Amino acid sequence: MSQHKPETKKITTLRLQAMKQLGEPITMLTAYDYTMARLLDRSGVEILLVGDSAANVMAGHSTTLPITLDQMIYHGASVVRGVQQAFVIVDMPFGSYQISQEAAVSSAVRIMKETGCDALKLEGGEVVYPIIQQLTTSGIPVMGHLGLTPQSVHQLGGYRLQGQTDADAGRLLREAKGLEQAGCFALVLEKVPATLARRVASDLRIPVIGIGAGSGVDGQVLVTQDMLGMEDSFSPKFLRRFGQIGEAIDTAVTEYIQAVKTHTFPSESESY
Ligand code: KIV
C-alpha cells in the first residue's frame, strides 16, 4: 500500500527553484496560527513563514529573542494544520542553534517532527555554515537570512539598514554565496539597499526573497499583520499596507457592542 498522500498542488523547493529560473516572482507571508494560515493558503501565497516575529506580533515583545523552541513548535504545528498547498518554513528561534552543533540538530529535528513543516530558516552568515551543512545533508531544507537579522538586534545597534559600506556589502555578498554553497535552498535578505539585493539575487542560483530589499530580488515577504493593516504602530518605508483590517475589526466590534447593549443581538432567529 502506498504511504504517500494523494497528489496535491503542494509547493516544493523544486517549484521555488523553477520559479526563479522562469523569473516568476515568489510570494511569502508570515503566519502564526491555523485560522490565518487557512486564509492565506487559500489565497495562493507560495510560502508561509512561521517567523519568530511571532514574539512581536503574537506576544507583544519588542524583540524576537524571547520566543522559545516550544512556542515556535506550537505556532508551526498550528500553521501546518491549516495549509494544503503553501510551502511552510519555521524559524529556528534565538538560542535553539547558537549553543552547539548538536543542540542545533536536536532543535531542528524537533521542529521538523513536531510541526510537520517543510523547511527551517535560521539567521546569520559564516558562523552558521557548519549547521546548514549538517542539516541539509540530513535532508532538512534550510533558508538563510542575511542583512538585518533581528536575533542580533543588540549587536547591530537597532533595526537599521544593513550593507551600506563597501566592506559590509562585500561581506554580505560573500556570505550569501557561502550560504548557497553550504546548502541553503533559498535566502531572505532583510533591509539592505536595492542595488546590493539585486546583485545578490543575480549572483545566486537559489531564490532570494526580500523584505525592504527593493524589487530586484526573486520574491517578497512581509509580516501579514503589518501588510493587512492590523498593526499601525510600525511604519517602515518598505511596508505597504494592502488592507485596512484593523479598521474593519474596529467597525465590526463596535457594531457587536452596540447590538448587545441595545438588546438587538441575539434576535429570536438567533436563539434556540
Ligand atoms: O520572523 C520573521 O517574520 C522574518 C521575516 C521578516 C523574514 O524573519
Side-chain angles (χ1 to χ4, degrees):
M1 191 167 67
S2 167
Q3 297 184 343
H4 295 285
K5 287 187 178 165
E7 197 70 25
T8 60
K9 290 195 286 71
K10 179 85 182 166
I11 304 284
T12 63
T13 52
L14 295 181
R15 172 78 189 120
L16 297 169
Q17 184 61 53
M19 288 176 76
K20 168 152 184 148
Q21 276 150 10
L22 294 167
E24 190 184 331
I26 297 169
T27 57
M28 170 161 143
L29 286 171
T30 61
Y32 317 106
D33 68 276
Y34 170 80
T35 307
M36 187 64 89
R38 279 191 76 194
L39 289 168
L40 300 175
D41 186 60
R42 145 178 132 184
S43 300
V45 66
E46 279 101 13
I47 305 178
L48 288 184
L49 171 66
V50 185
D52 59 356
S53 52
N56 313 114
V57 179
M58 294 283 110
H61 291 294
S62 59
T63 74
T64 57
L65 304 192
I67 200 158
T68 65
L69 183 59
D70 284 341
Q71 288 165 339
M72 286 305 296
I73 288 173
Y74 171 80
H75 288 296
S78 306
V79 167
V80 167
R81 284 192 289 271
V83 164
Q84 292 193 328
Q85 65 119 57
F87 189 79
V88 180
I89 304 174
V90 176
D91 258 342
M92 294 190 71
F94 177 69
S96 71
Y97 59 97
Q98 288 86 350
I99 295 167
S100 69
Q101 182 99 350
E102 212 173 284
V105 175
S106 136
S107 306
V109 169
R110 272 201 66 198
I111 301 175
M112 295 301 290
K113 271 185 185 290
E114 296 179 38
T115 67
C117 71
D118 302 304
L120 304 178
K121 173 164 86 58
L122 52 84
E123 296 181 7
E126 205 170 345
V127 70
V128 295
Y129 297 167
I131 298 170
I132 289 167
Q133 273 155 358
Q134 184 153 1
L135 296 184
T136 54
T137 51
S138 309
I140 300 174
V142 179
M143 172 179 258
H145 185 154
L146 287 176
L148 172 55
T149 45
Q151 291 178 10
S152 307
V153 61
H154 300 307
Q155 193 181 43
L156 297 175
Y159 296 99
R160 299 182 312 157
L161 185 67
Q162 300 297 307
Q164 293 192 78
T165 65
D166 286 350
D168 285 350
R171 183 166 49 85
L172 191 143
L173 192 53
R174 268 196 315 281
E175 290 191 322
K177 289 181 185 164
L179 289 173
E180 177 176 81
Q181 262 161 23
C184 281
F185 76 93
L187 175 69
V188 162
L189 267 190
E190 181 164 354
K191 217 166 175 184
V192 298
T195 44
L196 173 60
R198 183 181 293 278
R199 170 84 196 274
V200 173
S202 85
D203 281 13
L204 262 53
R205 291 183 310 277
I206 58 174
V208 176
I209 313 292
I211 172 164
S215 63
V217 287
D218 306 302
Q220 298 292 329
V221 55
L222 286 173
V223 168
T224 297
Q225 280 74 359
D226 296 339
M227 62 81 83
L228 287 180
M230 295 172 78
E231 165 63 70
D232 54 16
S233 63
F234 179 68
S235 294
K237 177 177 170 174
F238 67 77
L239 174 61
R240 186 186 297 181
R241 295 194 203 285
F242 289 84
Q244 295 301 336
I245 305 303
E247 281 175 20
I249 291 174
D250 276 354
T251 306
V253 174
T254 305
E255 276 176 27
Y256 166 73
I257 293 170
Q258 182 72 5
V260 173
K261 300 278 185 200
T262 56
H263 304 280
T264 56
F265 175 79
S267 65
E268 257 185 48
S269 68
E270 288 158 333
S271 306
Y272 296 97

